[in-house]
Amino acid sequence: MKPGLENFLLLADSYKISHHLQYPPGTTKVYSYFESRGGKFEKTVFFGLQYILKKWLVGVVVTKEMIDEAEQLLNMHFRGSNIFNREGWEYIVREHNGKLPLRIRAVPEGTVLPTKNVLFTVENTDPKVPWLTNYVETVLVQCWYPMTVATNSYYQKCRIAEYMTETAENMDKLPVMLHDFGYRGSTSVESASIGGLAHLVNFEGTDTLAALVAARDFYSEEMAGFSIPATEHSTMTSWGREGEENAVRHILEQIPEGYLAVVSDSYNLFNMVEHVLGEKLKDKIESRKGCLVVRPDSGNPAEMVLKTLNILGEKFGYRENSQGYKVLSESVSVIQGDGICYESIGDILSRMKENGWSAENLCFGSGGALLQKLDRDTQKCAYKCSYVEVDGKGLDVFKEPITDPGKKSKRGRLVLLKKDGEYSTVREEETSQEDEMFVVFENGQLVRDWSLKEVRVRSWKNLRKS
């Protein structure tokens, strides 16, 4: 068993354990595919399969010790029913040295494509283990999470880019305009690392350190994201209500240059911004080599951002850019890290634009809405069998429930086509055009190893076309 990893045989839903008994006699091939059947967003950013492959499928992942452990646990789990496929797993150990005889083809990670298209396919390469294709469904479908986080983050980037195009002079600031605040709200350290990494497909700002480790270890990125020094309420309120000026003064002296974010709503946001920052400490802030980033952290987000900008503009001044919108002095800016999601970003930037403020004055921080307020149905992700071979004959298979036409699945061996920039999914025999999917895994080996840099190039290239 690999150190730190769970038993591979137990990375499945319980009902998978008996499925080897259920396929038609003579079945030698099972071929399945994964797709987003629709959902909140009309396009999907494909990302995260490589993490799953490297963590769970690459190399020797089945051993006799795992088989013994799984058999003991599953016999108890099924109340003594002898349904565990010991023979099948021992065959994989004996004939494949514990490596998985599977082939997985996938669209390159970072690709942005419309929903209802195939994203990856899985098939067994050894006719004696057709049941293996759908045994791995459970762990592979967990790709829904990084994919959905990346998609959610991507669409927020599109929304910010829209307002930057209209109100800013350039897009230089865009890569750091949505910062990941989601570590503490994640369900686990691993969830934070995966979700935080998915956000970094689109942006370079993060406070989720686990995501940096995941980017380094799974996507060959030495440093995927950046942050700045920032206060929290404990470092502010420990100075007391009357000590806010001393608190900020002390912190400015401790961190004399560079960006510094100061949470400003511990007691009275408007007094803090107008009198403490805008009057008592104005000279110190303006003479500092860097930018003080003011963080309102409560109240209606659009209203608080606008009021904060107006006060800072009055106290520190502003210029009018070539687009005709106001830009604060370089010594101050604003970050809104409370209540941020796809919808609220649009509300805030719209209010700013209506009141003459450029989007470049603001950055966003998002936590729960970025990494947690989504599920597998957000983009309706599904893994379905579409082709089998029984007694040497190929058969296209599908489901078509009369109770939910939206769950109709695709049939046959699938190919992803791209023509004139548009994607479509067809059956293999319907085209001679080159498949946009590549073999990424075969017989225990990782065939393609995408770097985060490559992933970002694909995603950001598509952003410019959205």
Side-chain angles (χ1 to χ4, degrees), residues 332-344:
V332 289
S333 65
V334 179
I335 183 169
Q336 175 63 32
D338 180 58
I340 296 304
C341 61
Y342 174 74
E343 291 77 14
S344 67

Side-chain angles (χ1 to χ4, degrees), residues 152-434:
N152 181 35
S153 172
Y154 171 83
Y155 271 89
Q156 291 180 75
K157 189 174 186 179
C158 290
R159 178 153 284 192
I160 297 170
E162 174 189 344
Y163 283 92
M164 286 288 283
T165 300
E166 295 172 352
T167 69
E169 292 178 325
N170 58 63
M171 306 290 278
D172 294 348
K173 192 179 176 182
L174 183 61
V176 296
M177 289 185 70
L178 181 61
H179 202 88
D180 175 10
F181 285 175
Y183 203 163
R184 69 190 61 185
S186 295
T187 56
S188 69
V189 172
E190 185 178 18
S191 295
S193 70
I194 298 170
L197 172 57
H199 169 68
L200 289 172
V201 169
N202 305 295
F203 290 92
E204 296 176 353
T206 184
D207 262 31
T208 301
L209 295 177
L212 305 180
V213 177
R216 181 195 66 196
D217 293 350
F218 293 92
Y219 286 85
S220 306
E221 182 58 52
E222 184 178 358
M223 182 44 57
F226 305 92
S227 190
I228 65 172
T231 70
E232 67 174 18
H233 286 106
S234 77
T235 66
M236 298 298 293
T237 57
S238 59
W239 292 79
R241 180 184 291 271
E242 304 303 322
E244 281 194 308
E245 177 186 347
N246 290 334
V248 178
R249 186 184 301 278
H250 172 76
I251 295 166
L252 289 171
E253 291 170 353
Q254 294 298 308
I255 307 172
E257 58 183 49
Y259 280 91
L260 170 64
V262 175
V263 64
S264 302
D265 74 327
S266 297
Y267 306 107
N268 184 329
L269 170 67
F270 311 112
N271 177 70
M272 174 68 153
V273 178
E274 182 173 2
H275 299 297
V276 176
L277 302 180
E279 294 173 356
K280 298 175 181 179
L281 296 174
K282 179 183 177 183
D283 290 344
K284 194 169 188 65
I285 292 169
E286 290 182 326
S287 63
R288 184 174 176 273
K289 294 180 180 179
C291 179
L292 185 77
V293 185
V294 178
R295 178 159 72 97
D297 200 46
S298 53
N300 179 278
E303 291 180 9
M304 294 306 104
V305 166
L306 185 57
K307 289 181 178 180
T308 301
L309 286 170
N310 286 337
I311 296 172
L312 290 174
E314 178 185 341
K315 294 297 182 180
F316 290 89
Y318 59 85
R319 65 178 177 87
E320 187 174 291
N321 67 18
S322 60
Q323 301 274 61
Y325 290 89
K326 294 179 285 188
V327 179
L328 286 171
S329 160
E330 293 182 356
S331 60
V332 289
S333 65
V334 179
I335 183 169
Q336 175 63 32
D338 180 58
I340 296 304
C341 61
Y342 174 74
E343 291 77 14
S344 67
I345 283 175
D347 294 339
I348 294 167
L349 292 175
S350 176
R351 286 286 295 277
M352 287 175 60
K353 181 182 176 183
E354 290 170 1
N355 286 271
W357 287 103
S358 171
E360 63 193 286
N361 292 291
L362 183 65
C363 285
F364 298 96
S366 185
L370 183 65
L371 303 187
Q372 288 293 125
K373 288 187 178 180
L374 34 80
D375 55 36
R376 186 164 67 93
D377 289 330
T378 301
Q379 289 302 105
K380 298 182 179 179
C381 296
Y383 182 107
K384 297 298 172 186
C385 176
S386 60
Y387 174 85
V388 297
E389 291 178 4
V390 182
D391 293 330
K393 296 180 180 180
L395 177 67
D396 293 350
V397 298
F398 64 100
K399 58 178 282 190
E400 191 174 12
I402 63 171
T403 48
D404 189 350
K407 289 190 172 183
K408 179 181 178 180
S409 64
K410 293 174 170 55
R411 65 181 76 187
R413 297 179 63 91
L414 304 174
V415 174
L416 180 68
L417 303 182
K418 187 178 183 182
K419 185 177 181 180
D420 298 327
E422 299 297 323
Y423 288 96
S424 63
T425 299
V426 301
R427 287 186 291 172
E428 197 172 73
E429 62 268 27
E430 296 175 341
T431 184
S432 59
Q433 189 175 331
E434 186 176 355

